[in-house]
Amino acid sequence: MDKREFIKKGLTLGAGLPFLSIILQSCGEESLGAPLIDTNFSGNVIIVGAGAAGMTAAYLLQRNNIPYEVIEAAPVIGGRVKRIQDFADFPIDLGAEWIHTDPSILSEIVNDPTVTGDIDFITYNPQTIHLYKNGKVRERNWFNNFYSEWKFKNTTWFGFFERFILPSIEDNITLNLPVTSIDSSGSTTTVTTAHGNVRQADRVIVTVPIKILQDEVIEFRPALSSEKREVINNISMDDGLKVFIEFKERFYPDALLFGSFIEALTADDKTYYDAAFRKGSNRNILGLFTINDEATRYTSLGSDERIIEEVINELDDMFDGQASLHYQNHVIQNWSAEPYIRGSYSYTFSGSQNSMVDTLKAPINNKIYFAGEALSIDAQATVHGASESAYDTVRRMLSA
Amino acid sequence: MRRLLILMMGLTMSWSIQAQEFDYSSWSFSYYAPYAIQAGLKVGKTIPINTWTTTTGKEQETDNSLLIQPQIAYFANPQVQQNYLANIELGYARTREDRKFYNIASIGLGFIYAQQFVDGSVAIGSGEVSHNKENINYFVPTINYEWGKKPKNKLGYYFKGFWGHRITGQRDNSGFLGLETGLKLYMN
Ligand SMILES: Cc1cc2nc3c(=O)[nH]c(=O)nc-3n(C[C@H](O)[C@H](O)[C@H](O)COP(=O)(O)OP(=O)(O)OC[C@H]3O[C@@H](n4cnc5c(N)ncnc54)[C@H](O)[C@@H]3O)c2cc1C
């Protein structure tokens, strides 16, 4: 990864380098391009995975009147976009939660001026910020000048897709059907699933997480080229975990960061935060977001019971026993334990990100295409990045 | 804070060599950057209220001045906060004749009227985004240190650092610090 890519990546990861992310957001309005594409293509398409990228790809094919089917391994749509409705008096994002760019991106994804309806968002600019370092919690509220993003106010990323994207595509989604192999050696492509179901398609768009490709959950026939395999194996996607805890009393700041000022500005691997911030709720819901090695500290404990015990102990140490005193309820989302996700999101690219993404994006025999968050250069590791990659892939596929 | 002021005055003393009365009366126009990243503009006036000359060790004369500096400023964190500041500083300035620069240590008291972006909505069809803002009032006591170039004609420049606190009854308080750099248009 060269310096330019590193800076860009820092901006993309949003929570990391928040100082820069402020600058990015103030000037960064992405354009995903036109949804209707001039095409001679008249075949059918199978989309593997119903996460943000898979759903956006389906939505675009629907709008272009191309026959398609989405095959999803999990019993639910959404992938790393997931919500829980009954934990608090507002819906909670168990996966993606922040809108890491200008909220107008939501309109860009839908890209249809005839659609009516608004989405309310909050300016996520935590006011009370504490820093935990060397066994001490210190007030650092002035950090709030260096970080601001957006979040949904009374819906979630899942709710957004459910309301604006899903209605037009849901009849074409099949759940609980893990794809095991994709064979493009014949004139059409054969997609086989775990239950021995076989489907034929003229084009296949693969949107599974990079970790699923690394673990070779799907067998490609002919095998993926050595260049593609090398790229896949050189993108890191490590552990990811979110925990939400309800307390009787509030004892925590809007955001609790770790390390020094610089560490807090540049690290993006662990934050405790008030999940009810500006949500108009009276409930005391504390969130823990953690990825990479910090997440492994918890996920390696092996069970949700041990994870919550560890989290409460840690909070007790930082806040003089208040966590166990006021604890009421919790929910844990261990992304590493999701059989068809297996981690958080693509993180470091060992090599030039641009050329690695180009290698991965290159279609196989003009039949198999790839999309997903890892393939977005401008917004890697985000939901809107996954959607942007779907726009790009569908455009390339239909224009080929 | 007292110790810091004394330290700053000490610093300014050690830089001076010889003096002739220097008139600080001026208008300042500056780029004002709280937290180093917020972008803003500040206009101020420097009004000397007392000036006297002292002689130090090797019979070197030093100009000393007491100044007041009223200022107004606007600064913003795009899509997060817009701020309007009225501020007044009481400063102690020193310079020597053979030096091209002056130093001012000051204490300030300001009032910030801030508009904080709290939430909003986006129209999915058109992409139009609207924001709701909340008004917050802060008092900001600061200490300031300015280092400036004396003018050849009427125009000088300066750099300034400030450190203080934003105090409000509406929210938790927080630190207030940053940098300022600009031009001074001297009146005499
Ligand atoms: C803890 C966490 C926090 C995050 N926070 C944010 C945030 O605040 N803001 C933000 O913008 N982004 C965030 N992200 C990133 C964001 O969630 C992802 O970038 C985005 O959702 C990825 O979408 P995708 O379609 O590329 O992949 P996915 O959502 O993973 O979709 C891939 C789909 O493929 C399916 N699949 C896998 N294997 C198979 C198979 N063999 N057969 C069929 N289907 C299969 C999976 O079940 C899944 O549904 C976060 C992610 C995590 C894990």
Side-chain angles (χ1 to χ4, degrees), chain B residues 62-80:
Chain B
T62 305
D63 265 3
N64 306 273
S65 292
L66 271 184
L67 318 164
I68 52 171
Q69 309 195 87
Q71 300 142 355
I72 51 169
Y74 168 82
F75 60 96
N77 201 344
Q79 300 205 42
V80 181

Side-chain angles (χ1 to χ4, degrees), chain A residues 21-35:
Chain A
S21 80
I22 263 183
I23 296 164
L24 169 81
Q25 287 143 23
S26 57
C27 56
E29 275 178 43
E30 267 110 300
S31 171
L32 303 184

Side-chain angles (χ1 to χ4, degrees), chain A residues 48-54 71-74 76 78-81 94-100 157 177-180 207-209 212 217-218 240-242 289-291 335 340-341 343-345 371-373 381-384 386:
Chain A
V48 183
I71 303 181
E72 168 57 52
V76 285
R80 283 168 277 177
V81 161
L94 291 171
E97 183 169 352
W98 284 265
I99 304 168
H100 288 311
W157 268 116
L177 213 55
V179 168
T180 51
T207 71
V208 302
I212 295 297
V217 172
I218 299 171
L241 176 83
K242 284 180 89 173
F289 161 92
T290 177
I291 56 164
W335 285 101
Y340 296 103
I341 305 289
S344 54
Y345 39 76
E373 55 86 6
T382 67
V383 178
H384 69 279

Side-chain angles (χ1 to χ4, degrees), chain A residues 13 17-18 42 53 56 72 79 86 111 118 126-127 141 149 187 210 224 232 242 253 308 313-314 316 337 339-340 361:
Chain A
L13 293 176
L17 299 183
S42 59
T56 308
E72 168 57 52
D86 54 2
N111 220 323
D118 293 348
Q127 296 294 294
N141 293 342
E149 299 192 277
S187 58
I210 208 77
L224 294 179
I232 289 168
K242 284 180 89 173
I308 190 64
N313 283 342
E314 180 177 63
D316 273 345
Y340 296 103
K361 270 195 334 198

